[in-house]
């Protein structure tokens, strides 16, 4: 990126905002063509400033800014469409998706697939889709968009396609390998559950719990030891498969 760049009417969402100096805000946004960007919204905390109501999470926006160095200066914002109406556990799920993006992405790293899977997640939550299923599929799509996709096509030991009736041990760096282990504490998954995750079906409790366990393992690798605050709040919800 050059030292100075003007961006006009870029599709985006606010992921997080905090107070900046006396009347301004520092925004973290995800955008369609520029990835995650940090923007200063000057004067946006003033009561009379019309931007304040727009610069909220889950509102599809068109953003214009002037980029100098790491942070840009917001020059214009307008709604791109109606806000996604999220409440209760769906609102918590939306904040969980926001926190995942903030932790797993870097500023100024364009990735249209990330914006797409995030937009789809919000649309599905607003459409009252199953919360746990929506989050698991979002996690899977996000990992794929980041280049961390799971190998769920074939047995890494034999090269044969995964079979629903078999059980598989899953190694994060390689994939699934058929096993006869019966230890309930072993990291083993049924072939049907792995196929359900690959096909993004997840229509029963078994496949949802398996997806939660496997994707949770993968995410911990990339998130490190610091847990997601929103995930702690959602833990009870997700564990009950709501």
């Amino acid at each position: 990126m050059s030292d100075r760049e003007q961006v006009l009417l870029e599709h985006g969402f606010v992921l997080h905002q905090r107070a900046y100096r006396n009347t301004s805000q520092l925004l973290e946004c995800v955008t369609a063509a520029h990835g995650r960007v940090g923007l200063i919204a000057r004067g946006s905390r003033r009561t009379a400033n019309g931007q304040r109501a727009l610069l909220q999470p889950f509102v599809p926006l068109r953003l214009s800014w002037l980029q100098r160095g790491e942070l840009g200066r917001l020059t214009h914002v307008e709604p791109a469409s109606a806000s996604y109406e999220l409440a209760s556990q769906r609102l918590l799920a939306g904040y969980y998706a926001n926190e995942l993006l903030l932790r797993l992405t870097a500023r100024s790293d364009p990735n249209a697939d990330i914006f797409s899977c995030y937009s789809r997640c919000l649309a599905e939550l607003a459409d009252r889709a199953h919360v746990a299923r929506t989050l698991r599929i979002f996690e899977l799509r996000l990992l794929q968009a980041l280049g961390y996709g799971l190998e769920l096509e074939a047995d890494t030991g034999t090269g044969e396609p995964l079979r629903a009736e078999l059980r598989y041990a899953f190694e994060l760096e390689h994939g699934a390998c058929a096993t006869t282990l019966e230890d309930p504490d072993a990291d083993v998954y049924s072939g049907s559950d792995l196929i359900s995750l690959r096909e993004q079906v997840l229509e029963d409790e078994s496949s949802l719990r398996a997806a939660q366990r496997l994707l949770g393992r993968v995410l911990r690798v990339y998130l490190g030891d610091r847990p997601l605050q929103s995930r702690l709040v959602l833990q009870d919800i997700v564990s009950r498969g709501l």
Side-chain angles (χ1 to χ4, degrees):
M1 181 177 291
S2 63
D3 291 339
R4 178 186 177 95
E5 180 183 10
Q6 186 175 23
V7 180
L8 299 176
L9 298 177
E10 167 76 349
H11 285 279
F13 291 90
V14 172
L15 297 175
H16 183 264
Q17 76 274 68
R18 62 180 175 86
Y20 182 76
R21 296 183 177 173
N22 293 330
T23 62
S24 301
Q25 289 177 294
L26 178 59
L27 311 173
E28 291 291 341
C29 303
V30 60
T31 68
H34 290 76
R36 182 159 69 88
V37 296
L39 300 176
I40 297 171
R42 291 182 179 173
S44 61
R45 291 164 57 213
R46 294 193 183 102
T47 304
N49 192 310
Q51 292 183 345
R52 187 170 186 172
L54 285 177
L55 296 175
Q56 304 292 329
F58 319 127
V59 181
L61 300 171
R62 291 182 183 270
L63 301 161
S64 299
W65 68 90
L66 185 64
Q67 187 83 31
R68 288 192 181 95
E70 184 179 0
L71 292 176
R73 176 171 61 85
L74 184 70
T75 57
H76 176 77
V77 59
E78 62 185 54
S81 60
S83 171
Y84 290 112
E85 298 296 330
L86 305 180
S88 187
Q89 65 193 44
R90 299 177 189 281
L91 181 62
L92 291 174
Y95 279 115
Y96 169 70
N98 285 6
E99 193 174 0
L100 264 186
L101 289 190
L102 288 168
R103 290 281 296 275
L104 293 176
T105 63
R107 286 178 179 167
S108 303
D109 184 15
N111 189 321
D113 289 339
I114 290 176
F115 186 82
S116 175
C117 72
Y118 175 72
S119 301
R120 290 174 68 182
C121 177
L122 294 188
E124 289 169 11
L125 289 173
D127 198 36
R128 305 194 65 79
H130 191 291
V131 173
R133 179 181 181 275
T134 298
L135 290 181
R136 300 293 79 78
I137 292 175
F138 169 68
E139 290 167 344
L140 179 68
R141 291 170 177 166
L142 179 60
L143 287 167
Q144 291 169 340
L146 290 166
Y148 306 143
L150 306 183
E151 175 49 63
L152 296 170
E153 293 293 333
D155 185 323
T156 59
T158 65
E160 295 293 321
L162 297 187
R163 291 167 53 184
E165 70 274 15
L166 297 184
R167 292 171 59 79
Y168 295 88
F170 197 94
E171 297 182 16
L172 297 185
E173 295 183 357
H174 303 287
C177 186
T179 182
T180 57
L181 283 174
E182 296 295 337
D183 182 355
D185 295 325
D187 200 32
V188 174
Y189 305 85
S190 74
S192 60
D193 287 342
L194 294 179
I195 293 169
S196 180
L197 177 58
R198 182 187 70 203
E199 301 301 321
Q200 301 180 20
V201 178
L202 303 179
E203 291 182 340
D204 58 77
E205 183 176 347
S206 173
S207 62
L208 279 169
R209 291 187 182 280
Q212 179 186 354
R213 182 158 54 96
L214 178 54
L215 292 166
R217 283 182 61 210
V218 178
L219 287 169
R220 282 193 294 274
V221 171
Y222 300 110
L223 292 170
D225 296 330
R226 182 163 59 95
L228 293 168
Q229 295 303 308
S230 53
R231 189 178 183 87
L232 296 178
V233 177
L234 273 166
Q235 188 171 14
D236 180 59
I237 292 172
V238 175
S239 67
R240 290 184 284 122
L242 300 178

